[in-house]
Amino acid sequence: AKLAEYVGSFYSKDLDVSYGISVDPNGLLLSLPKRSGFPLQATVADWFASPSMNVNFTRNETGAVIGLVVQSPRAANLAFEKR
Protein backbone atom coordinates (compact mmCIF):
# COMPACT_ATOMS: atom_id res chain seq x y z
CA ALA A 1 0.00 0.00 0.00
CA LYS A 2 1.13 3.53 -0.66
CA LEU A 3 1.76 5.56 2.51
CA ALA A 4 -0.33 8.44 1.13
CA GLU A 5 -3.43 6.23 1.52
CA TYR A 6 -3.11 6.55 5.29
CA VAL A 7 -2.65 10.33 5.50
CA GLY A 8 -5.40 12.33 7.16
CA SER A 9 -7.12 13.36 10.36
CA PHE A 10 -8.70 10.64 12.49
CA TYR A 11 -11.27 11.42 15.21
CA SER A 12 -12.19 9.42 18.31
CA LYS A 13 -15.62 10.26 19.69
CA ASP A 14 -14.74 8.28 22.84
CA LEU A 15 -11.83 10.63 23.60
CA ASP A 16 -13.11 13.68 21.66
CA VAL A 17 -9.67 14.04 20.11
CA SER A 18 -8.15 13.94 16.65
CA TYR A 19 -4.90 12.26 15.68
CA GLY A 20 -3.07 13.19 12.51
CA ILE A 21 -1.25 10.84 10.16
CA SER A 22 1.34 12.28 7.80
CA VAL A 23 4.24 11.02 5.72
CA ASP A 24 7.79 11.97 6.70
CA PRO A 25 11.08 10.84 5.10
CA ASN A 26 11.18 7.69 7.27
CA GLY A 27 7.56 6.60 6.83
CA LEU A 28 4.36 7.49 8.67
CA LEU A 29 4.15 9.95 11.54
CA LEU A 30 1.33 9.90 14.12
CA SER A 31 0.65 13.34 15.61
CA LEU A 32 -1.17 13.76 18.90
CA PRO A 33 -2.44 17.07 20.30
CA LYS A 34 0.27 18.99 22.21
CA ARG A 35 2.88 16.25 21.71
CA SER A 36 5.61 15.60 19.21
CA GLY A 37 4.90 13.05 16.51
CA PHE A 38 5.51 9.32 16.82
CA PRO A 39 7.15 7.52 13.89
CA LEU A 40 5.22 4.43 12.84
CA GLN A 41 6.98 1.43 11.33
CA ALA A 42 5.11 -0.87 8.95
CA THR A 43 4.71 -4.41 10.27
CA VAL A 44 2.12 -6.25 8.14
CA ALA A 45 -0.61 -4.98 5.78
CA ASP A 46 -2.38 -1.97 7.35
CA TRP A 47 -0.54 -2.46 10.68
CA PHE A 48 2.08 -0.06 12.01
CA ALA A 49 3.97 0.03 15.30
CA SER A 50 5.72 2.53 17.55
CA PRO A 51 7.37 1.85 20.91
CA SER A 52 4.19 2.88 22.76
CA MET A 53 1.36 1.63 20.52
CA ASN A 54 0.23 -0.37 17.52
CA VAL A 55 -2.03 1.14 14.86
CA ASN A 56 -4.30 -0.89 12.58
CA PHE A 57 -5.87 1.02 9.69
CA THR A 58 -9.39 -0.05 8.71
CA ARG A 59 -10.84 -0.04 5.20
CA ASN A 60 -14.28 -0.09 3.63
CA GLU A 61 -15.48 -2.61 1.05
CA THR A 62 -13.87 -0.64 -1.80
CA GLY A 63 -10.47 -0.63 -0.06
CA ALA A 64 -10.40 3.01 1.04
CA VAL A 65 -8.90 3.78 4.46
CA ILE A 66 -11.81 4.85 6.70
CA GLY A 67 -10.32 4.72 10.19
CA LEU A 68 -7.75 3.34 12.54
CA VAL A 69 -7.67 1.34 15.76
CA VAL A 70 -5.06 2.00 18.45
CA GLN A 71 -3.71 -0.75 20.69
CA SER A 72 -1.59 0.36 23.63
CA PRO A 73 -1.01 -0.61 27.26
CA ARG A 74 -3.53 2.09 28.27
CA ALA A 75 -6.12 1.62 25.49
CA ALA A 76 -7.23 -1.52 23.69
CA ASN A 77 -9.22 -1.24 20.47
CA LEU A 78 -9.60 2.54 20.57
CA ALA A 79 -11.36 3.42 17.29
CA PHE A 80 -10.83 6.57 15.23
CA GLU A 81 -12.84 7.62 12.17
CA LYS A 82 -11.15 9.26 9.20
CA ARG A 83 -12.44 12.79 8.69
Side-chain angles (χ1 to χ4, degrees):
K2 296 185 185 105
L3 292 181
E5 289 184 86
Y6 303 111
V7 170
S9 179
F10 295 82
Y11 177 74
S12 166
K13 63 183 173 193
D14 293 331
L15 295 181
D16 189 27
V17 69
S18 290
Y19 287 2
I21 299 289
S22 58
V23 176
D24 83 350
N26 299 312
L28 288 182
L29 197 64
L30 170 67
S31 301
L32 311 179
K34 301 178 184 163
R35 297 179 66 180
S36 57
F38 292 91
L40 297 175
Q41 301 299 317
T43 56
V44 294
D46 292 336
W47 281 87
F48 292 80
S50 78
S52 60
M53 69 182 73
N54 291 320
V55 176
N56 175 26
F57 288 90
T58 55
R59 295 178 181 269
N60 64 14
E61 56 281 345
T62 64
V65 172
I66 58 167
L68 61 82
V69 178
V70 171
Q71 311 277 342
S72 76
R74 294 184 300 181
N77 298 317
L78 191 56
F80 289 75
E81 179 183 308
K82 189 171 187 180
R83 289 265 166 113

